[in-house]
Amino acid sequence: MTYAELKAAIQDYSNNTETSFVASIPTFVKQAEQRIYRAVNLPVNRKNVAGTMTDGNKYLSVPTDFLLPLSLSLTSSSDAQVFLLNKDANFIRATYPNASTEGVPKYYGVFTDDTFILGPTPNANFVTELHYYYKPASIVDSSTSWLGTNADTVLLYGSLVEAYTYMKGDADIMQLYQQRYQEALDLLRAQAEGRMTGDEYRDGTARMMVK
């Protein structure tokens, strides 16, 4: 489903072509995407990026599309890959209150929207590898997306929930859209966090429960 198809479906399902409603459709879709991305850990939304810690700087910038960390590692002087432990920023600041305390970092934590804090402060320019969830481009801006191509049902009903909230629509219809959205979300979660992170060789064939 492309954005043009999604936009047309939202208007058809809602039976609403009023100017302000149509102008708000991009907002409905982006709100639905945010809900989905925060509810399901999609493997397709993972990225790896290399970087460098700076000697004497306890902060490390994160990518502009960063959403959530999966792991952060550094390459030590012996070329070993060392994984840091993710801790709360307050823990790191309490453990290493003096920024001049330098060494090979053991911990990292989210300090601001675009910065990690490290503990202790790096004593060299260590090469890093960050594995993280990223914010993919919205279907509104790119016309197509992974959700639109592979999970159009959850995207449609998520958008309809937002649209019907805007319309202050009938409670029964809202409940139906919520139910359809949740059903589609559960199926997507089962695929993304189950089938897409395993294989038949190791785990056997997935079996569906019949009620």
Side-chain angles (χ1 to χ4, degrees):
M1 178 181 285
T2 65
Y3 175 62
E5 293 169 336
L6 176 60
K7 182 178 179 180
I10 292 171
Q11 294 178 75
D12 290 343
Y13 274 69
S14 302
N15 193 27
N16 191 341
T17 57
E18 190 268 329
T19 302
S20 62
F21 176 83
V22 173
S24 298
I25 288 178
T27 301
F28 305 152
V29 174
K30 290 184 177 182
Q31 288 173 334
E33 289 173 328
Q34 289 178 11
R35 291 179 64 186
I36 295 166
Y37 289 136
R38 282 165 172 75
V40 184
N41 295 324
L42 293 171
V44 294
N45 290 348
R46 297 184 179 193
K47 268 189 179 182
N48 270 59
V49 64
T52 305
M53 294 179 182
T54 303
D55 185 1
N57 185 356
K58 65 178 180 179
Y59 300 109
L60 177 68
S61 297
V62 302
T64 55
D65 60 358
F66 173 82
L67 184 60
L68 295 169
L70 288 168
S71 66
L72 176 65
S73 64
L74 61 83
T75 301
S76 70
S77 57
S78 60
D79 290 331
Q81 188 176 25
V82 179
F83 285 88
L84 282 66
L85 297 177
N86 188 356
K87 292 289 187 178
D88 184 80
N90 290 328
F91 169 88
I92 297 174
R93 296 179 76 178
T95 304
Y96 302 99
N98 192 338
S100 63
T101 302
E102 297 186 3
V104 178
K106 298 179 181 179
Y107 307 108
Y108 78 101
V110 176
F111 189 68
T112 65
D113 288 342
D114 55 6
T115 309
F116 287 140
I117 186 172
L118 308 168
T121 300
N123 62 354
N125 296 328
F126 296 107
V127 174
T128 64
E129 181 179 9
L130 174 65
H131 191 41
Y132 67 102
Y133 284 113
Y134 75 101
K135 303 171 187 174
S138 172
I139 193 173
V140 174
D141 302 318
S142 60
S143 180
T144 60
S145 69
W146 188 93
L147 285 178
T149 302
N150 299 281
D152 56 340
T153 301
V154 68
L155 181 58
L156 171 60
Y157 280 104
S159 300
L160 287 172
V161 168
E162 301 297 337
Y164 224 59
T165 300
Y166 172 90
M167 292 171 58
K168 301 178 178 62
D170 182 79
D172 290 340
I173 300 298
M174 173 62 84
Q175 183 178 5
L176 174 62
Y177 287 161
Q178 286 276 14
Q179 180 182 343
R180 293 290 179 85
Y181 168 72
Q182 191 60 53
E183 289 173 352
L185 186 70
D186 290 342
L187 290 173
L188 178 61
R189 183 181 292 114
Q191 176 188 2
E193 298 177 6
R195 297 176 185 177
M196 291 177 73
T197 57
D199 58 45
E200 286 192 2
Y201 177 77
R202 294 175 181 273
D203 306 320
T205 302
R207 302 181 184 277
M208 298 294 291
M209 294 294 292
V210 179
K211 297 183 179 180

